[in-house]
Amino acid sequence: MHTIRNYIMAESLEQAWELNQKGRNNIIIGGNLWLKMGRRNIINAIDLSSLGLDKIEEDEGGFRIGCMATLHDIETHEGLNKEFQNLFKEAVRHIVGVQFRNCATIGGSIFPKLGFSDVLTAFLACDTQVILYKKGEVPLREFIYIPTDNDILTHLYVKKDGRKTAYESFRMTETDFPTITCAVAKIQDSFETVLGARPKHAEVVVDEVVADAFSSEEVADYAKRVIGKLQYGSNIRGSEQYRKQLSKVLIGRCISRLTEE
Ligand SMILES: Cc1cc2nc3c(=O)[nH]c(=O)nc-3n(C[C@H](O)[C@H](O)[C@H](O)COP(=O)(O)OP(=O)(O)OC[C@H]3O[C@@H](n4cnc5c(N)ncnc54)[C@H](O)[C@@H]3O)c2cc1C
């Protein structure tokens, strides 16, 4: 359990950012679900919920998602799920329960780059920009390699670019942390694959391959190449070898969903 000395409702992003620069014991708070599992002594917990950052706004080019929007908001957003073939609905539906998903935020799910994250896996399957208060716009695919600092994630912007996506995960029981997460995007005639919980944070492999008329041998070859480009490890949920085997199966399932029409 953590302790919080001062709970501050930020009146502006500038105030929140300034407080957040004052050392490790000052912290931005999202839904407080992951944070409360730790044992930190927090001096200032900075709450962004009065800054109107909980909206999902759709425009011609994409979706602008505020950091305080919840996992249940992306699970139930009609436009977002229609555009990406229920990617977000599928990615978050195993995360604990609806009450939990009504509290867990997008900022708290993306900023810490959690190694098991279904949410990170799903957003990496799209062309997603992370909008940071000081650094500005950074592609999510670059953000995952930037060391975590004291900036504030204000929004994500997910571009509509006509890609088709499919999501699969494997967990030991319905609401456990995933043993492996997998999302595949079909962009015109090529695929991009995201694999997470390996047990490292999700990463994307772009491997140019023609998507039409894929035989099962070609799918297996593709999966082998993708898996070979990523680092895997072992933990209580599974060995490296087991995770590689699961990845092969999940990539195959995603590709068959994307190519059957
Ligand atoms: C029991 C349990 C089971 C879970 N299972 C899964 C699962 O199966 N799959 C999955 O994908 N996820 C899972 N999660 C993670 C969950 O989905 C959320 O990602 C997590 O709780 C963080 O969201 P939060 O809003 O609670 O963030 P918080 O706990 O409030 O914050 C987490 C971190 O993010 C920082 N932060 C928050 N918002 C911002 C911001 N806007 N800018 C900068 N930094 C910010 C905080 O300072 C903190 O360091 C699980 C979590 C728990 C507690």
Side-chain angles (χ1 to χ4, degrees), residues 27-28 30-35 105 108-109 111 118 153 171 177:
I27 197 147
I28 302 290
N32 194 26
L33 296 163
W34 188 247
L35 268 177
T105 61
S109 300
F111 197 80
D118 292 282
L153 187 160
R171 39 234 314 149
F177 290 102

Side-chain angles (χ1 to χ4, degrees), residues 113 120 124 139-147 201-204:
K113 307 160 188 144
L120 190 56
L124 279 169
L140 180 60
R141 292 172 182 205
E142 289 174 22
F143 175 76
I144 54 171
Y145 299 110
I146 299 174
H201 72 61
E203 290 176 281
V204 189

Side-chain angles (χ1 to χ4, degrees), residues 21 61 139 187 231 236 244:
Q21 306 312 301
I187 304 134
Q231 267 193 330
I236 51 162
K244 285 183 175 171

